[in-house]
Amino acid sequence: MAAAPVWSVDPRTGKPREQVAVESTSGEVDRAVRAAHAARPALADRGARARLLRTAAELLAETRDHVIEAADAETALGPVRLNGELARTAAQLRSFADVVDEGAFLGIRIDHADAGRTPPWPDLRRYKVPLGVVAVYAASNFPLAFSVPGGDTASALAAGCPVVVKAHPGHPATAELCASVLRRAAHRAGLPEDVVVLVHGFEAGVELVRHPLVTAAGFTGSVRGGRALFDAAAARPAPIPFHGELGSLNPVVITEAAAEEAAEQLGTGLAGSMTLGEGQFCTKPGFVLAPASDAGDRVVKALTGAISETEPGVMLDRRMRDAFVAGVRARAALADVDAPVTPGAGGDHTVSAGFLTVPARLLAEAGDHDLLLEECFGPVTVVARYDSSAEITAVLGRLAGNLTATLHLSGAEAAGGGRGAELLAELTPLAGRVLVGGWPTGVAVAPAQHHGGPYPATTSTSTSVGATAIERWLRPVTYQTTPAALLPPELRDDNPLGLPRRVDGRLEH
C-alpha cells in the first residue's frame, strides 16, 4: 500500500495548497532514529553545539520571509504574530547557546576523598550527560516556537541530544522548511545534518515513542493525544521520560476589592488575553472567578463590550474549529449558563469569540457543570460568579493542574491587606506559574521561567521554556575513585575547560 500523502491546507479556505511529503513508514522512522543515534558522538563537542544553535538562529532570520509566508498560509496566524514568534524562536536558540557556553547545566560536583569522616568518603565526581535521541512532537498553535525549531528541539540539542521531530499535520510545509534550516545550520557548524531529522504521520509518532533507541520525548498538544503517547512511553520494555504539555484551564481569581477598583480595566484586559491568537494560546485564561456584585457586573459589562468588538477569526484547522463550536454549544446548553456574548461559528471557516457565565455554587461540587472546568480550545472563557470567599475556595479545590493561575487584587490587598496571601496560597498548588496582576498569555523566555504544572498541564515537573528546560534531556552520573587519566575533562581537578563547579562544598567559577 502506498504511503498516504501529507498535504498543506489553507485554513482560511479549507482547500489543499500542495502535497508536502508522504507519511513516514515504520522502516523510515527506524532509519531516521538510527541516523540521529549515529550523530550522537559529534554532539559531544559543546562548542559545536553552541555554534549550531547560533547558526540556526541566524538562518531563521535570513529565511524569515519564506518561513513567515509558509507558516501564515498554513495557520492563518498572521505576519505580525508570526514575526514575533520567529524572533522569540531565534532568541530561544541563542539563549541555549549561552547556556551551553556557560556550562553550569552540567551540575559538576567534586568531593575529594575524606578518610576522617564517619563513614569515610571515597573520591566522588558527578556531572550530567545527555540521554540520547529525543523525540519531539510539534505543536499546532506555535508553528515555530513549539515546533521543529522550538524549545524542545533547542534544549535537546543544547544538552547534546540529537532530535527526531514528528511534524504537526497542521503545518507540514513550515516543518519541512524549518527542518532544512536546522540541518543546514548543523552542516555549517561542522556537525552531521542528522542531528535533526523530520518524520510525518500519526503512526510515525507512535512508532517514534516506541523505538528502542529513543531515550526521551517532548510533546505539546491535547490531553487525549499526549496521554496516549505518555502511556506508550511508560509501557515500553525500558520506559522513557515523557515530558508532555497536555492542557490547561488557567484560572483567574478577581477579588471584590479588585473589581471595585479596576472593573473596566479587568474586563478589557481579560478580553484581550482570552481572544489573543483566536484563543489558541496554551495559557489562555479559560476560567474566571468574579464576584456576583455590582463591581462584578461592571467587569462583565466591560468584557461584553470588548469581546463584541472582536472580529470573527480563523482557527488553526477545520478539526479544531469544529471541536470549538461543539464544545461551546455543549457548555452553553447546561442549566443556568448564560452567554452574554455567544461564542461559536462565525462563518464557513471562522469563529466568533464569546464567554459564558454561571453561578460558582454550581461548580463547588461534582455534577453536570463539570464540563465548564475543562479546557475549550478557542476564543471562549467561563466566568463563574461567586457570592462568598467560601465559594472561591470550594471551586479552586476542584480544579485540576494548570500551567498558570492568576490573582487580581486591589492595591490594599497587594500591600498585605485582606485575603491576598491566603488566595495566593490556594492558587500555588494548582499551577507552575502564578501571577499577581496581569494576564497569563505570553511566556517570557527567561532563566527563571517555569512553563509546566501539575497534571494534566504537564506529565512531569519540568519546564519547557527557560534555561532549565535543558535538564529534561540529561541524567547524572558519578565517578568513584577514578584515576585522573580516565576522568572526563569536565571532572578533572585542574578544570581545563574552566567550567563552574562545586568542589568540596565550595562554589568555584
Side-chain angles (χ1 to χ4, degrees):
M1 181 182 296
V6 175
W7 288 90
S8 173
V9 177
D10 183 347
R12 294 180 174 95
T13 64
K15 295 180 179 180
R17 298 176 57 247
E18 60 177 331
Q19 182 179 337
V20 173
V22 294
E23 293 188 352
S24 305
T25 64
S26 177
E28 288 167 340
V29 172
D30 179 62
R31 287 191 289 275
V33 174
R34 292 186 183 280
H37 182 76
R40 288 174 65 204
L43 281 174
D45 183 343
R46 286 193 305 116
R49 295 193 328 243
R51 287 197 303 275
L52 162 60
L53 294 165
R54 291 193 176 99
T55 304
E58 292 170 5
L59 289 178
L60 271 179
E62 288 176 12
T63 57
R64 173 185 299 273
D65 291 345
H66 296 299
V67 172
I68 298 304
E69 181 182 9
D72 181 51
E74 293 186 306
T75 66
L77 289 173
V80 174
R81 150 70 193 275
L82 289 167
N83 268 289
E85 188 178 333
L86 189 146
R88 169 206 170 110
T89 304
Q92 193 164 238
L93 289 161
R94 294 189 188 97
S95 71
F96 277 112
D98 293 341
V99 169
V100 173
D101 284 341
E102 181 193 56
F105 73 96
L106 294 168
I108 299 171
R109 289 177 175 266
I110 296 174
D111 291 320
H112 291 104
D114 187 348
R117 288 183 177 268
T118 305
W121 280 9
D123 186 271
L124 298 168
R125 296 163 189 251
R126 183 185 193 268
Y127 78 146
K128 296 176 182 177
V129 298
L131 288 174
V133 178
V134 169
V136 169
Y137 295 81
S140 62
N141 56 341
F142 283 86
L144 305 176
F146 283 84
S147 291
V148 175
D152 285 348
T153 297
S155 58
L157 292 172
C161 296
V163 173
V164 180
V165 184
K166 206 288 284 184
H168 193 278
H171 45 80
T174 308
E176 286 283 347
L177 180 55
C178 290
S180 72
V181 167
L182 292 177
R183 289 171 66 85
R184 280 192 289 132
H187 179 75
R188 288 193 187 181
L191 291 166
E193 291 186 352
D194 287 336
V195 295
V196 177
V197 189
L198 187 70
V199 298
H200 293 270
F202 175 82
E203 291 300 328
V206 176
E207 292 281 344
L208 191 56
V209 80
R210 292 175 175 167
H211 197 286
L213 293 180
V214 169
T215 60
F219 171 91
T220 301
S222 69
V223 173
R224 181 180 178 184
R227 184 54 194 255
L229 291 171
F230 174 73
D231 290 346
R236 292 169 38 131
I240 60 172
F242 183 88
H243 300 285
E245 181 190 320
L246 310 188
S248 186
L249 196 60
N250 303 303
V252 176
V253 175
I254 299 173
T255 68
E256 172 69 25
E260 290 174 354
E261 191 171 276
E264 288 70 28
Q265 295 95 316
L266 290 169
T268 56
L270 173 58
S273 183
M274 51 92 38
T275 60
L276 187 65
E278 304 306 326
Q280 296 171 120
F281 276 54
C282 52
T283 51
K284 178 199 76 176
F287 182 78
V288 182
L289 281 158
S293 64
D294 290 343
D297 290 345
R298 286 166 41 219
V299 173
V300 170
K301 181 180 179 181
L303 178 62
T304 300
I307 292 182
S308 297
E309 296 175 358
T310 303
E311 295 292 327
V314 179
M315 292 190 69
L316 292 162
D317 61 34
R318 184 77 188 193
R319 178 181 58 84
M320 293 181 189
R321 177 188 178 277
D322 291 347
F324 170 74
V325 172
V328 296
R329 183 185 299 123
R331 289 163 173 79
L334 295 169
D336 297 305
V337 172
D338 293 322
V341 181
T342 304
D348 290 341
H349 301 286
T350 61
V351 296
S352 295
F355 71 102
L356 308 173
T357 62
V358 64
R361 58 180 171 77
L362 298 178
L363 302 171
E365 297 180 359
D368 295 340
H369 290 79
D370 285 0
L371 181 61
L372 299 173
L373 301 180
E374 298 177 12
E375 180 185 17
C376 185
F377 194 69
V380 65
T381 195
V382 173
V383 179
R385 306 293 299 275
Y386 65 85
D387 288 307
S388 66
S389 295
E391 284 186 2
I392 297 176
T393 298
V395 174
L396 292 179
R398 301 201 58 241
L399 298 185
N402 292 272
L403 294 170
T404 73
T406 302
L407 178 60
H408 281 280
L409 302 171
S410 67
E413 289 172 323
R419 290 191 65 217
E422 187 178 332
L423 286 169
L424 191 64
E426 290 181 19
L427 288 173
T428 297
L430 298 178
R433 178 163 58 104
V434 182
L435 297 81
V436 179
W439 300 99
T441 38
V443 184
V445 182
Q449 185 60 271
H450 187 84
H451 189 64
Y455 185 87
T458 52
T459 59
S460 72
T461 59
S462 301
T463 179
S464 61
V465 178
T468 55
I470 195 173
E471 296 173 0
R472 297 174 295 169
W473 322 119
L474 299 163
R475 69 174 181 88
V477 60
T478 293
Y479 291 91
Q480 181 171 327
T481 59
T482 303
L486 302 181
L487 283 171
E490 292 87 350
L491 297 181
R492 294 176 187 166
D493 281 334
D494 60 351
N495 195 11
L497 303 179
L499 295 168
R501 59 189 190 167
R502 191 172 288 276
V503 179
D504 296 328
R506 296 186 300 275
L507 186 63
E508 296 183 354
H509 296 281

